[in-house]
Amino acid sequence: MTAGFQAFTDTGVVQIDGMTPNYQLIASMAQLTQQESIPTVFNNVNTQFYGTFWHTTFTFNASRPFFAFRADGGVMATPWKFSRVGNTNSFTAEFVSVSQTTIRLYVFDQVPVSSNNFGLQVFDASGVLIADAANPFARIIDVIEGQYQPGSGWQAVGNSIPGPNTQSRSYSVPVAFGGALAAHFFLNTSPFILSAFGANGGAISWEFHQYIGNNSGTFVGFAEATRYRFMVLDMTGIT
Amino acid sequence: MTAGLQIWNASGQLTLDATQRVGRIKGSQQITGGSGSISMDLSSGTPFWSFQPDFLFMHINGNSPVPVVSISSTGISWTYSPPPTTSYLYPITGWLFWGVY
C-alpha cells in the first residue's frame, strides 16, 4: 500500500489495514423475551410442531452483519435463528432465553458513510469507508469453541445425550457473545437442548441447556450439531 | 502505550488503543448444503469464522447436518457430513463470514 492509513497493536497485529473493512457497531437494540409458542419441526405430512420458549425477534437492516448479544441479569440466552429476508438488506435475529430477560443485540457491519463531523475516517483505495472512529470497533478478546457429543457424522445407537456441562470464564472488561453458533439437539417434540450463553459484566458462563425435556434418552443425530462456537467481545463503552 | 492509535468516545471512554485487536471482514458466502472452499491470504492476524444459521430445526427426523468449517492462514473450507438417508434431508443453510483479528 502506497497511501492511506494503517494501525497496529503494540504487538504488531494489524487493527486497520487501509484495505479491509473493519467490523464496527452500526446498531444496538434491546427487547424483552416473552413466552411464545414458536415453530420447531414438521413431520412427513407437514404437520408443524411448536415449543413454548421465552422468545424475541429482532429486525434490522445491514449489509453483511455480524451480531453479538448478551442478556440482562446474567440470564442465559441462545441465538435461535438468523435470517436474511429474501435478497434484501433486511435481517431477523431470533433469540430464546432460559427465563424472561432483556436481550441486547449489537449489530456489527461495514460502517455506512455518515455525516460525522468529528473523528477519523479511513477509506480504501477505491474510496470505500472501511473504518470510522465514531463507531465502536468489534474488539475480539477470546474465541471459545467445543462440542458436547464427541465424534462426527450421524450417530443413532449407543450414546447418551450429553448433560449441561456448564462452564465459565471471567474477563476484566464487560463482554458480549459475538457470532455465536449454538450447539443443538432435539428428539421429536422433547427434548430441545441448546447452547445457552450468559454474561454478567465480565463473567460468562455457557452450557448445553435443557430448554424442553431432559437428556435421559439416546443420542440420535449429527454429533457435530452439538458443536458450539463464539467470540468474546470487549464491550467497554458500548451500552 | 508508546505508539499506536487511541480513540475515545464522546463520554471520554477509551474505545480503542494499541492493546486491542479488532475484527476485519475478509469475506462472506451463503452456504446451502454443499462443500466449498476459498483460498485467501488470512495471515495478517488470527483467522476467525462465524456461521449464522437460517434455522437449527426443520424436519422431525433430524436429518439436518451442520457445516463443518476449517480455516487457516491460507483460506477457508466447509463441508457437510453424509446423511443417513436422502429422505427429508435439510442441511442447515446460512451465511458464513470470515476474517482476521
Side-chain angles (χ1 to χ4, degrees), chain A residues 34-53:
Chain A
Q34 305 288 348
Q35 280 272 285
E36 290 172 355
S37 177
I38 57 176
T40 54
V41 293
F42 59 86
N43 66 12
N44 294 7
V45 292
N46 282 327
T47 300
Q48 178 70 58
F49 297 93
Y50 294 82
T52 300
F53 296 84

Side-chain angles (χ1 to χ4, degrees), chain A:
Chain A
M1 166 172 153
T2 53
F5 179 86
Q6 295 178 313
F8 298 84
T9 68
D10 51 11
T11 58
V13 176
V14 177
Q15 290 176 314
I16 299 170
D17 65 13
M19 298 177 289
T20 314
N22 283 84
Y23 274 119
Q24 295 189 252
L25 188 71
I26 62 160
S28 60
M29 290 160 270
Q31 289 180 189
L32 186 66
T33 54
Q34 305 288 348
Q35 280 272 285
E36 290 172 355
S37 177
I38 57 176
T40 54
V41 293
F42 59 86
N43 66 12
N44 294 7
V45 292
N46 282 327
T47 300
Q48 178 70 58
F49 297 93
Y50 294 82
T52 300
F53 296 84
W54 292 104
H55 172 258
T56 191
T57 301
F58 294 89
T59 302
F60 56 91
N61 291 322
S63 60
R64 292 194 293 185
F66 163 81
F67 74 90
F69 75 96
R70 64 183 168 191
D72 283 5
V75 173
M76 286 187 174
T78 302
W80 175 266
K81 207 173 187 184
F82 194 92
S83 302
R84 186 175 186 173
V85 181
N87 195 24
T88 70
N89 280 338
S90 181
F91 291 80
T92 60
E94 295 183 41
F95 290 84
V96 296
S97 59
V98 168
S99 58
Q100 188 171 40
T101 184
T102 297
I103 307 266
R104 298 182 186 277
L105 176 69
Y106 305 95
V107 182
F108 292 88
D109 201 349
Q110 184 168 357
V111 281
V113 174
S114 67
S115 56
N116 290 329
N117 57 4
F118 65 98
L120 168 75
Q121 292 184 319
V122 180
F123 296 83
D124 71 10
S126 51
V128 175
L129 180 64
I130 57 165
D132 185 342
N135 296 82
F137 287 78
R139 293 160 296 179
I140 301 167
I141 54 175
D142 208 353
V143 178
I144 295 175
E145 61 184 340
Q147 185 171 323
Y148 295 114
Q149 178 64 30
S152 65
W154 183 261
Q155 298 180 359
V157 288
N159 294 320
S160 302
I161 302 168
N165 192 10
T166 308
Q167 297 172 80
S168 60
R169 207 172 274 192
S170 290
Y171 303 90
S172 59
V173 292
V175 298
F177 302 97
L181 176 61
H184 58 282
F185 174 80
F186 83 103
L187 284 175
N188 299 317
T189 55
S190 177
F192 276 84
I193 305 176
L194 295 99
S195 286
F197 309 98
N200 199 347
I204 65 167
S205 56
W206 66 98
E207 69 180 24
F208 202 34
H209 184 76
Q210 297 164 10
Y211 275 100
I212 293 176
N214 58 48
N215 66 323
S216 61
T218 298
F219 185 88
V220 179
F222 289 95
E224 63 267 29
T226 67
R227 188 163 189 78
Y228 61 87
R229 180 180 173 86
F230 58 91
M231 285 172 255
V232 181
L233 303 186
D234 177 353
M235 300 301 284
T236 303
I238 302 174
T239 55

